[in-house]
């Protein structure tokens, strides 16, 4: 029986890890500690899980007393590195929510610490377990388009999901590293996974075009705004019991407000982003992320030496909800082959369920290479980190200027 503790008892930590461990994986895993800087939030999770899992207000005390095999980290992104390093130093394995870290310095520190400790950091890239991306990976491994030369990936968030990043702590670059780190680390990891090469240089542009408009702000938060009933961007989940218990009832502990106005001028991340990446073996990526699209999803094209694969998926809007995911492969002779795979139910396109089984039950083999280590966590995060530096400086950024090459 493997012993786990959870650091960060917000909605992701609770629903992705704590509740499933107790409910679905009790034959393999036991949750022996809950830690959060907001003790009220931890109490809420404790009560939802039956009231017996110990709560701690001191991380080191929890590690010392509970002696976990593995620490699960689901905190705000900016402190992932702090808890990873402390967990490795204590001799624990680590499961960390993406992004693994938000600075290049932490990338180097964790690579060194993991090597020294002899323990492993696993990063929870659930996109690798989504049927659409797993299917594309299979096709690429079958060499259907030959060696990969270029990927174009367009990702668009709608004004419900996308707007929510601008209500929460993610809205500040010092907390999340921007959406190029917090959100796009998923997308960069998928591309890295497909290509199998190391990023070499990044050049990016970014702007805050829609959110953070002070002229449109009417109140600090939706629940105190007189125009809430007439605002198309008002926070819709104020009556959700988990949101009430985890956030609204816990505000007095840390003054964190879950329903901040999306037009608050304190917002300093970008909502419109594009970048180019070249890789050490010649492949190239062009990528864009928009956080205020009228519908949500992605479009991807992968061009190789033998042909071109095109795929897309929609999560909201009229095109959403297709029973199968399809990928079309175009060949120079004019032939087209269409490949299909059934869609899956569950959060994040079924990726969360499959990832949890992988984490808490284990597998005998991993033919697609879906397991993501600290190296994968670093090489995806560093693209977003470099992109942020490129936006601020106006210059391309060499990955070698950020990472200690002998560690990778």
């Amino acid at each position: 029986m493997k012993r786990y503790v959870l650091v960060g008892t917000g909605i992701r930590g609770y629903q992705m890890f704590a509740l499933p461990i107790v409910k679905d994986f009790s034959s393999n895993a036991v949750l022996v500690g809950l830690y959060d800087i907001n003790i009220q939030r931890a109490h809420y999770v404790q009560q939802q899980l039956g009231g017996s899992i110990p709560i701690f207000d001191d991380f080191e005390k929890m590690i010392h007393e509970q002696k976990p095999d593995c620490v699960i980290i689901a905190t705000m992104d900016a402190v992932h590195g702090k808890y990873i390093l402390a967990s490795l130093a204590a001799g624990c394995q680590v499961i960390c929510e993406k992004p693994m870290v938000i600075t290049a310095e932490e990338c180097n520190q964790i690579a060194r610490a993991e090597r020294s400790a002899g323990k492993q950091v696993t990063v929870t890239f659930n996109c690798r377990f989504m049927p659409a991306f797993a299917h594309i990976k299979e096709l690429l491994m079958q060499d259907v388009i030959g060696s990969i030369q270029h990927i174009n990936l367009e990702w668009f968030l709608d004004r419900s999901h996308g707007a929510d990043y601008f209500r929460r702590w993610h809205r500040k670059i010092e907390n999340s590293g921007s959406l190029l780190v917090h959100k796009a680390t998923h997308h960069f990891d998928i591309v890295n996974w497909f290509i199998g090469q190391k990023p070499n240089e990044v050049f990016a542009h970014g702007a805050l075009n829609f959110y953070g408009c002070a002229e449109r702000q009417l109140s600090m938060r939706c629940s105190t705004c007189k125009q809430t009933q007439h605002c198309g961007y008002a926070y819709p989940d104020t009556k959700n019991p988990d949101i009430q218990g985890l956030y609204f009832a816990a505000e007095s502990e840390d003054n964190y407000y879950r329903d901040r106005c999306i037009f608050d001028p304190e917002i300093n991340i970008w909502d419109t982003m594009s970048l180019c990446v070249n890789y050490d073996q010649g492949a190239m990526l062009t990528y864009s992320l928009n956080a205020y699209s009228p519908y949500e999803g992605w479009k991807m094209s992968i061009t190789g030496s033998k042909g071109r694969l095109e795929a897309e998926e929609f999560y909201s809007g009229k095109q959403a909800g297709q029973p199968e995911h399809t990928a079309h492969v175009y060949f120079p002779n004019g032939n087209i082959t269409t490949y299909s795979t059934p869609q899956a139910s569950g959060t994040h396109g079924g990726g969360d369920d499959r990832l949890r089984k992988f984490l808490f039950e284990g597998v005998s083999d991993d033919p697609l290479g879906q397991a993501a280590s600290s190296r994968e966590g670093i090489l995806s995060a560093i693209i977003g980190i470099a992109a942020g530096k490129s936006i601020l400086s106006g210059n391309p950024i060499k990955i070698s200027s950020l990472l200690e090459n002998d560690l990778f």
Side-chain angles (χ1 to χ4, degrees):
M1 183 73 71
K2 197 167 184 179
R3 295 168 63 84
Y4 294 86
V5 294
L6 175 64
V7 179
T9 59
I11 195 75
R12 185 64 175 169
Y14 168 52
Q15 293 186 347
M16 175 66 187
F17 301 108
L19 183 60
I21 287 175
V22 172
K23 182 180 176 182
D24 303 321
F25 298 99
S26 58
S27 61
N28 299 310
V30 58
L31 187 60
V32 298
L34 301 169
Y35 168 76
D36 199 297
I37 58 171
N38 187 313
I39 201 70
Q40 181 64 35
R41 189 171 298 133
H43 274 293
Y44 176 81
V45 172
Q46 181 195 53
Q47 292 306 306
Q48 297 303 114
L49 299 177
S52 62
I53 300 173
I55 292 174
F56 293 86
D57 59 4
D58 185 294
F59 172 79
E60 292 183 357
K61 181 180 179 182
M62 178 175 69
I63 299 298
H64 176 73
E65 292 187 3
Q66 300 304 93
K67 296 179 173 53
D69 300 298
C70 183
V71 178
I72 301 171
I73 299 171
T75 61
M76 182 173 67
D77 300 344
V79 294
H80 283 183
K82 167 186 172 181
Y83 292 116
I84 291 172
L85 291 170
S87 300
L88 291 174
C92 301
Q93 304 281 10
V94 177
I95 294 172
C96 186
E97 263 293 293
K98 60 79 198 166
M100 194 178 79
V101 289
I102 67 170
T103 70
E105 292 78 9
E106 291 172 313
C107 290
N108 292 314
Q109 290 170 356
I110 289 170
R112 290 193 299 267
E114 189 181 39
R115 183 179 296 181
S116 176
K119 298 294 181 178
Q120 184 179 8
V121 178
T122 299
V123 186
T124 58
F125 286 126
N126 49 25
C127 282
R128 292 186 177 212
F129 293 84
M130 294 167 64
F133 293 120
H135 185 220
I136 293 171
K137 176 66 173 178
E138 287 183 304
L139 295 175
L140 296 175
M141 291 176 67
Q142 293 166 11
D143 202 40
V144 294
I145 63 168
S147 59
I148 298 172
Q149 311 296 340
H150 181 264
I151 291 185
N152 183 75
L153 176 57
E154 177 189 1
W155 205 285
F156 29 95
L157 301 170
D158 63 23
R159 299 184 186 194
S160 174
H161 183 197
D164 210 34
Y165 292 109
F166 295 82
R167 293 189 187 99
R168 298 178 281 167
W169 52 263
H170 311 72
R171 59 171 37 202
K172 301 187 75 171
I173 198 168
E174 54 266 39
N175 293 337
S176 65
S178 83
L179 291 180
L180 284 169
V181 179
H182 174 82
K183 183 66 177 176
T185 189
H186 271 312
H187 315 151
F188 300 143
D189 175 67
I190 287 296
V191 171
N192 293 348
W193 186 43
F194 287 169
I195 290 177
Q197 300 180 27
K198 181 180 173 182
N200 181 55
E201 185 179 77
V202 180
F203 184 56
H205 294 281
L208 183 61
N209 289 328
F210 185 79
Y211 303 104
C213 177
E215 292 79 9
R216 299 181 69 180
Q217 184 183 21
L218 299 174
S219 179
M220 185 185 79
R221 55 187 303 195
C222 296
S223 57
T224 60
C225 183
K226 296 179 180 179
Q227 298 299 317
T228 294
Q229 293 183 343
H230 309 289
C231 178
Y233 303 103
Y235 181 50
D237 294 328
T238 56
K239 297 184 184 298
N240 180 297
D242 286 338
I243 297 298
Q244 282 286 333
L246 291 169
Y247 300 107
F248 286 87
E251 288 175 357
S252 61
E253 292 285 330
D254 57 8
N255 295 319
Y256 174 67
Y257 304 114
R258 179 62 180 78
D259 61 336
R260 294 290 295 269
C261 179
I262 62 172
F263 300 114
D264 193 324
E266 82 161 16
I267 294 169
N268 63 1
I269 63 171
W270 307 287
D271 57 22
T272 312
M273 296 142 277
S274 64
L275 56 86
C276 298
V277 184
N278 64 49
Y279 285 80
D280 62 349
Q281 296 177 45
M284 291 181 283
L285 163 68
T286 55
Y287 170 82
S288 66
L289 174 61
N290 181 287
Y292 51 93
S293 170
Y295 55 89
E296 182 154 335
W298 55 269
K299 297 180 180 181
M300 176 185 286
S301 64
I302 308 174
T303 304
S305 57
K306 297 179 180 179
R308 174 183 172 95
L309 184 151
E310 295 184 359
E312 61 186 24
E313 193 167 15
F314 300 92
Y315 304 132
S316 70
K318 291 184 178 180
Q319 300 179 80
Q322 297 298 315
E324 290 187 325
H325 177 264
T326 57
H328 306 284
V329 178
Y330 299 82
F331 297 99
N333 62 7
N335 289 340
I336 303 172
T337 303
T338 298
Y339 300 88
S340 299
T341 189
Q343 298 283 20
S345 60
T347 52
H348 291 106
D352 283 347
D353 290 339
R354 288 163 171 76
L355 173 59
R356 279 191 293 261
K357 288 179 69 69
F358 191 93
L359 292 173
F360 301 124
E361 290 183 355
V363 294
S364 57
D365 60 355
D366 183 15
L368 297 182
Q370 289 170 297
S373 68
S374 64
R375 184 178 189 275
E376 283 73 42
I378 288 168
L379 293 182
S380 60
I382 203 65
I383 295 175
I385 292 166
K389 292 181 179 294
S390 178
I391 292 169
L392 295 174
S393 69
N395 299 312
I397 303 296
K398 291 280 189 183
I399 299 298
S400 60
S401 71
L402 304 177
L403 296 183
E404 298 174 14
N405 285 331
D406 63 317
L407 297 174
F408 305 94

